[in-house]
PDB file of all heavy atoms in Angstrom:
ATOM      1  N   PRO A 203      -2.634  60.581-111.079  1.00 57.00           N
ATOM      2  CA  PRO A 203      -2.304  61.873-110.489  1.00 57.00           C
ATOM      3  C   PRO A 203      -2.308  61.770-108.965  1.00 57.00           C
ATOM      4  O   PRO A 203      -2.907  60.847-108.419  1.00 57.00           O
ATOM      5  CB  PRO A 203      -3.417  62.795-110.978  1.00 57.00           C
ATOM      6  CG  PRO A 203      -4.534  61.890-111.377  1.00 57.00           C
ATOM      7  CD  PRO A 203      -3.912  60.602-111.790  1.00 57.00           C
ATOM      8  N   THR A 204      -1.646  62.709-108.292  1.00 62.00           N
ATOM      9  CA  THR A 204      -1.551  62.642-106.834  1.00 62.00           C
ATOM     10  C   THR A 204      -2.922  62.576-106.199  1.00 62.00           C
ATOM     11  O   THR A 204      -3.112  61.893-105.209  1.00 62.00           O
ATOM     12  CB  THR A 204      -0.770  63.845-106.266  1.00 62.00           C
ATOM     13  OG1 THR A 204      -0.977  64.948-107.119  1.00 62.00           O
ATOM     14  CG2 THR A 204       0.693  63.531-106.137  1.00 62.00           C
ATOM     15  N   SER A 205      -3.889  63.289-106.753  1.00 84.00           N
ATOM     16  CA  SER A 205      -5.229  63.199-106.210  1.00 84.00           C
ATOM     17  C   SER A 205      -6.206  62.996-107.351  1.00 84.00           C
ATOM     18  O   SER A 205      -6.636  63.933-108.013  1.00 84.00           O
ATOM     19  CB  SER A 205      -5.570  64.437-105.407  1.00 84.00           C
ATOM     20  OG  SER A 205      -6.596  64.137-104.504  1.00 84.00           O
ATOM     21  N   ALA A 206      -6.522  61.734-107.590  1.00 91.00           N
ATOM     22  CA  ALA A 206      -7.422  61.387-108.679  1.00 91.00           C
ATOM     23  C   ALA A 206      -8.853  61.712-108.270  1.00 91.00           C
ATOM     24  O   ALA A 206      -9.158  61.809-107.085  1.00 91.00           O
ATOM     25  CB  ALA A 206      -7.285  59.902-108.995  1.00 91.00           C
ATOM     26  N   TRP A 208     -12.770  61.385-107.319  1.00 96.00           N
ATOM     27  CA  TRP A 208     -13.620  60.373-106.684  1.00 96.00           C
ATOM     28  C   TRP A 208     -14.723  60.017-107.671  1.00 96.00           C
ATOM     29  O   TRP A 208     -15.432  60.900-108.151  1.00 96.00           O
ATOM     30  CB  TRP A 208     -14.249  60.921-105.406  1.00 96.00           C
ATOM     31  CG  TRP A 208     -13.299  61.030-104.257  1.00 96.00           C
ATOM     32  CD1 TRP A 208     -12.628  62.142-103.854  1.00 96.00           C
ATOM     33  CD2 TRP A 208     -12.919  59.984-103.360  1.00 96.00           C
ATOM     34  NE1 TRP A 208     -11.856  61.848-102.756  1.00 96.00           N
ATOM     35  CE2 TRP A 208     -12.012  60.535-102.431  1.00 96.00           C
ATOM     36  CE3 TRP A 208     -13.251  58.630-103.249  1.00 96.00           C
ATOM     37  CZ2 TRP A 208     -11.435  59.784-101.401  1.00 96.00           C
ATOM     38  CZ3 TRP A 208     -12.682  57.886-102.231  1.00 96.00           C
ATOM     39  CH2 TRP A 208     -11.780  58.458-101.320  1.00 96.00           C
ATOM     40  N   GLN A 251     -11.571  56.175-105.481  1.00 97.00           N
ATOM     41  CA  GLN A 251     -10.537  57.069-106.000  1.00 97.00           C
ATOM     42  C   GLN A 251      -9.267  56.248-106.198  1.00 97.00           C
ATOM     43  O   GLN A 251      -8.842  55.531-105.281  1.00 97.00           O
ATOM     44  CB  GLN A 251     -10.282  58.178-104.977  1.00 97.00           C
ATOM     45  CG  GLN A 251      -9.130  59.104-105.287  1.00 97.00           C
ATOM     46  CD  GLN A 251      -8.704  59.934-104.073  1.00 97.00           C
ATOM     47  OE1 GLN A 251      -8.477  59.391-103.007  1.00 97.00           O
ATOM     48  NE2 GLN A 251      -8.602  61.236-104.261  1.00 97.00           N
ATOM     49  N   VAL A 252      -8.675  56.352-107.375  1.00 95.00           N
ATOM     50  CA  VAL A 252      -7.380  55.711-107.586  1.00 95.00           C
ATOM     51  C   VAL A 252      -6.379  56.352-106.637  1.00 95.00           C
ATOM     52  O   VAL A 252      -6.282  57.575-106.548  1.00 95.00           O
ATOM     53  CB  VAL A 252      -6.911  55.876-109.051  1.00 95.00           C
ATOM     54  CG1 VAL A 252      -5.486  55.372-109.224  1.00 95.00           C
ATOM     55  CG2 VAL A 252      -7.851  55.128-109.992  1.00 95.00           C
ATOM     56  N   ALA A 253      -5.655  55.500-105.870  1.00 94.00           N
ATOM     57  CA  ALA A 253      -4.702  56.016-104.877  1.00 94.00           C
ATOM     58  C   ALA A 253      -3.469  55.119-104.891  1.00 94.00           C
ATOM     59  O   ALA A 253      -3.479  54.026-104.326  1.00 94.00           O
ATOM     60  CB  ALA A 253      -5.339  56.062-103.490  1.00 94.00           C
ATOM     61  N   GLY A 254      -2.434  55.577-105.561  1.00 91.00           N
ATOM     62  CA  GLY A 254      -1.217  54.774-105.671  1.00 91.00           C
ATOM     63  C   GLY A 254      -1.490  53.486-106.427  1.00 91.00           C
ATOM     64  O   GLY A 254      -2.170  53.496-107.456  1.00 91.00           O
ATOM     65  N   ASN A 258      -8.767  54.260-102.955  1.00 97.00           N
ATOM     66  CA  ASN A 258      -9.447  54.736-101.764  1.00 97.00           C
ATOM     67  C   ASN A 258     -10.931  54.426-101.952  1.00 97.00           C
ATOM     68  O   ASN A 258     -11.494  54.717-103.008  1.00 97.00           O
ATOM     69  CB  ASN A 258      -9.293  56.256-101.628  1.00 97.00           C
ATOM     70  CG  ASN A 258      -8.118  56.666-100.778  1.00 97.00           C
ATOM     71  OD1 ASN A 258      -7.589  55.887 -99.991  1.00 97.00           O
ATOM     72  ND2 ASN A 258      -7.710  57.922-100.931  1.00 97.00           N
ATOM     73  N   VAL A 278     -13.402  55.700 -94.797  1.00 98.00           N
ATOM     74  CA  VAL A 278     -12.506  55.676 -95.958  1.00 98.00           C
ATOM     75  C   VAL A 278     -11.495  54.562 -95.721  1.00 98.00           C
ATOM     76  O   VAL A 278     -10.863  54.499 -94.661  1.00 98.00           O
ATOM     77  CB  VAL A 278     -11.789  57.025 -96.185  1.00 98.00           C
ATOM     78  CG1 VAL A 278     -10.823  56.927 -97.374  1.00 98.00           C
ATOM     79  CG2 VAL A 278     -12.797  58.148 -96.415  1.00 98.00           C
ATOM     80  N   TRP A 280      -8.374  52.179 -97.643  1.00 97.00           N
ATOM     81  CA  TRP A 280      -7.475  52.036 -98.790  1.00 97.00           C
ATOM     82  C   TRP A 280      -7.117  50.561 -98.957  1.00 97.00           C
ATOM     83  O   TRP A 280      -6.884  49.856 -97.960  1.00 97.00           O
ATOM     84  CB  TRP A 280      -6.188  52.848 -98.571  1.00 97.00           C
ATOM     85  CG  TRP A 280      -5.219  52.748 -99.722  1.00 97.00           C
ATOM     86  CD1 TRP A 280      -5.171  53.548-100.830  1.00 97.00           C
ATOM     87  CD2 TRP A 280      -4.162  51.791 -99.882  1.00 97.00           C
ATOM     88  NE1 TRP A 280      -4.164  53.136-101.667  1.00 97.00           N
ATOM     89  CE2 TRP A 280      -3.521  52.060-101.119  1.00 97.00           C
ATOM     90  CE3 TRP A 280      -3.696  50.711 -99.120  1.00 97.00           C
ATOM     91  CZ2 TRP A 280      -2.446  51.312-101.600  1.00 97.00           C
ATOM     92  CZ3 TRP A 280      -2.627  49.961 -99.600  1.00 97.00           C
ATOM     93  CH2 TRP A 280      -2.013  50.267-100.823  1.00 97.00           C
ATOM     94  N   ILE A 293      -8.574  54.397 -93.156  1.00 97.00           N
ATOM     95  CA  ILE A 293      -8.067  55.767 -93.036  1.00 97.00           C
ATOM     96  C   ILE A 293      -8.932  56.557 -92.074  1.00 97.00           C
ATOM     97  O   ILE A 293      -8.423  57.331 -91.261  1.00 97.00           O
ATOM     98  CB  ILE A 293      -8.013  56.436 -94.437  1.00 97.00           C
ATOM     99  CG1 ILE A 293      -6.962  55.719 -95.294  1.00 97.00           C
ATOM    100  CG2 ILE A 293      -7.701  57.918 -94.321  1.00 97.00           C
ATOM    101  CD1 ILE A 293      -6.952  56.123 -96.745  1.00 97.00           C
TER     102      ILE A 293
HETATM  103  C1  NAG B 596      -6.873  58.595 -99.980  1.00 75.22           C
HETATM  104  O1  NAG B 596      -7.828  59.163 -99.095  1.00 75.22           O
HETATM  105  C2  NAG B 596      -7.259  59.785 -97.973  1.00 75.22           C
HETATM  106  C3  NAG B 596      -8.390  60.258 -97.102  1.00 75.22           C
HETATM  107  O2  NAG B 596      -9.276  61.100 -97.814  1.00 75.22           O
HETATM  108  C4  NAG B 596      -6.345  60.915 -98.384  1.00 75.22           C
HETATM  109  O3  NAG B 596      -5.714  61.463 -97.253  1.00 75.22           O
HETATM  110  C5  NAG B 596      -5.306  60.398 -99.350  1.00 75.22           C
HETATM  111  O4  NAG B 596      -4.549  61.476 -99.802  1.00 75.22           O
HETATM  112  C6  NAG B 596      -5.986  59.706-100.492  1.00 75.22           C
HETATM  113  N1  NAG B 596      -4.973  59.203-101.426  1.00 75.22           N
HETATM  114  C7  NAG B 596      -4.795  59.742-102.634  1.00 75.22           C
HETATM  115  C8  NAG B 596      -3.718  59.129-103.465  1.00 75.22           C
HETATM  116  O5  NAG B 596      -5.458  60.660-103.056  1.00 75.22           O
END
Side-chain angles (χ1 to χ4, degrees):
T204 30
S205 202
W208 286 97
Q251 173 195 51
V252 172
N258 267 341
V278 178
W280 180 89
I293 294 171

